[in-house]
Amino acid sequence: MANWLKKLMRSQLVIPLFALLLLIIFNLIRDVGFFSLNITTNNDGNTVLSGNIISILNSASELAVLSIGMTLVTASSKGQDISVGAVAAIAGSVFVRVLKEHTINWPIILLGFICACLAAILCGAFNGTLVSVFKIQPMIATLILLTAGRPIAYWINGGATPTVESPLLSKIGSFIPGIPIPTPIIIVVVFAILVSLVLRFTNLGLYTQAVGINEKSARLNGINAIGMKMLSFMMLGICVAIAGCIGVSRMGLINHETLLLDIEMDAILAVAIGGNALSGGKFSIAGSVIGAYIIQALTITLYAMKVPSTAVKAYKAIVIIAIVVLGSPVVQSYLLKLRGRLFQKSNKEAGAQAYGD
């Protein structure tokens, strides 16, 4: 038991799991039925699952996908990409532009998604070049697309906010007939599994951590640091394209001004809450995904408590500050020392008792 607890305390998942547990306990005390699942019929006549759990998982889909890419960028470049919302608007605009120029069917939707990915990867390569080749701080480098991204998205569709009405597209943004779980949740699960398999069966995760921990040592060991940073930004581009296309599919239109607005801040927070050091190095994809769901669960909880929407961000900030402080190296070091003292004391007491017997 002591060894299991020691491993848990050293795990990067201890902070996000503890925060998630606190949220669950708080909501169960406040409202026992908060996490209840209901089976209902939607407007299309399909039997679907509903409730706060489904709402949290569904609403956080874009954030969960972005947190995966943001984790890789943070681990390799020791910084964050603050342009993901704006680049998502670009990817979404490209997606809509392709759909508007053709009869919408599954091959055209796939073509639009591929084009959106290419556009987002190109933006990621631009950011990655500034960071890896020109050694510009990630937040400064990505500030360019943060500023210019939404105007570019506006230009792609000729200054309009076109709608794309299609039953096929609505299935991506809501439900597939016969499947009671929202499609965005399924997309997140499939994508997370794919990324996990890539990290498990390739050296991508190891090389990313090595570059983030010590770039010079990584180069001396034959790792292409520039290439790894570029790759992490390009993988973030794929995540951005997925999130942008999900957002467009939900609304059935592209609004370059509001699509995933300010989501970059939540993505950075998800990485921090997930137990990842914002200074790079060792990372946990699972922790970041849990962090994304914690942020959304906190939002849903505040709305359930009738907190005004204008005050939600302030309340979230207070809770997030507490979580980040608990996960800081200073506090974690203190907790480890405290744990060591407690275990040492308990071991001495056990030894004394055994000797007395």
Side-chain angles (χ1 to χ4, degrees):
M1 181 66 180
N3 290 333
W4 178 84
L5 186 60
K6 188 180 292 185
K7 289 181 181 179
L8 179 63
M9 290 296 292
R10 290 179 178 176
S11 172
Q12 284 181 278
L13 295 178
V14 63
I15 295 298
L17 289 176
F18 178 70
L20 186 61
L21 180 63
L22 284 180
L23 269 175
I24 291 173
I25 293 173
F26 175 79
N27 280 297
L28 288 177
I29 294 173
R30 186 187 60 82
D31 180 7
V32 177
F34 183 82
F35 293 108
S36 61
L37 287 174
N38 303 311
I39 300 177
T40 60
T41 303
N42 64 5
N43 295 331
D44 297 326
N46 299 316
T47 301
V48 298
L49 291 174
S50 64
N52 287 320
I53 291 180
I54 298 298
S55 178
I56 291 168
L57 295 176
N58 187 25
S59 300
S61 296
E62 293 94 326
L63 180 57
V65 171
L66 286 176
S67 68
I68 294 173
M70 189 70 78
T71 303
L72 296 175
V73 166
T74 299
S76 65
S77 68
K78 302 181 180 181
Q80 292 73 45
D81 186 340
I82 60 174
S83 68
V84 291
V87 176
I90 294 176
S93 293
V94 171
F95 182 58
V96 170
R97 181 67 181 267
V98 173
L99 297 183
K100 290 294 290 184
E101 294 184 355
H102 301 84
T103 302
I104 298 177
N105 50 40
W106 286 119
I108 294 301
I109 291 175
L110 178 60
L111 175 63
F113 173 67
I114 293 173
C115 291
C117 284
L118 292 175
I121 290 172
L122 184 62
C123 292
F126 172 76
N127 288 333
T129 300
L130 294 178
V131 172
S132 60
V133 178
F134 295 97
K135 309 299 180 183
I136 300 174
Q137 288 292 329
M139 279 197 176
I140 303 300
T142 56
L143 185 62
I144 297 171
L145 279 176
L146 171 67
T147 305
R150 295 189 185 275
I152 292 173
Y154 180 78
W155 167 78
I156 289 173
N157 282 293
T161 55
T163 59
V164 277
E165 296 180 359
S166 168
L168 298 180
L169 206 62
S170 64
K171 292 176 183 178
I172 299 175
S174 55
F175 291 89
I176 296 174
I179 300 179
I181 301 172
T183 310
I185 298 177
I186 299 173
I187 293 173
V188 173
V189 171
V190 171
F191 182 69
I193 291 173
L194 289 175
V195 173
S196 299
L197 290 175
V198 170
L199 294 176
R200 181 176 179 84
F201 294 106
T202 69
N203 291 325
L204 176 62
L206 177 63
Y207 289 173
T208 299
Q209 289 182 169
V211 171
I213 293 171
N214 192 318
E215 184 176 339
K216 185 177 180 180
S217 296
R219 286 201 304 269
L220 292 175
N221 283 279
I223 299 174
N224 185 346
I226 292 177
M228 291 308 303
K229 289 182 182 180
M230 288 281 291
L231 182 60
S232 65
F233 274 95
M234 293 168 72
M235 289 185 68
L236 176 57
I238 295 175
C239 297
V240 167
I242 293 173
C245 291
I246 291 176
V248 169
S249 300
R250 287 188 194 276
M251 299 183 294
L253 56 85
I254 175 67
N255 189 330
H256 67 280
E257 292 182 349
T258 60
L259 182 65
L260 302 186
L261 184 64
D262 296 332
I263 199 169
E264 50 273 348
M265 296 299 104
D266 281 345
I268 295 171
L269 288 172
V271 174
I273 294 172
N276 299 286
L278 297 182
S279 56
K282 190 177 179 181
F283 65 90
S284 170
I285 294 292
S288 296
V289 173
I290 293 172
Y293 290 125
I294 288 172
I295 292 173
Q296 188 59 38
L298 178 59
T299 303
I300 297 294
T301 300
L302 291 172
Y303 282 132
M305 295 172 63
K306 310 298 182 184
V307 174
S309 58
T310 53
V312 165
K313 289 186 178 181
Y315 283 91
K316 284 172 60 178
I318 295 171
V319 176
I320 288 166
I321 287 172
I323 294 172
V324 172
V325 169
L326 284 173
S328 67
V330 174
V331 175
Q332 284 191 339
S333 176
Y334 173 77
L335 292 175
L336 286 172
K337 290 179 181 178
L338 180 62
R339 183 206 64 195
R341 291 172 185 171
L342 291 175
F343 278 117
Q344 186 177 9
K345 184 178 179 181
S346 62
N347 290 335
K348 286 182 179 179
E349 290 177 351
Q353 184 177 1
Y355 180 78
D357 293 339

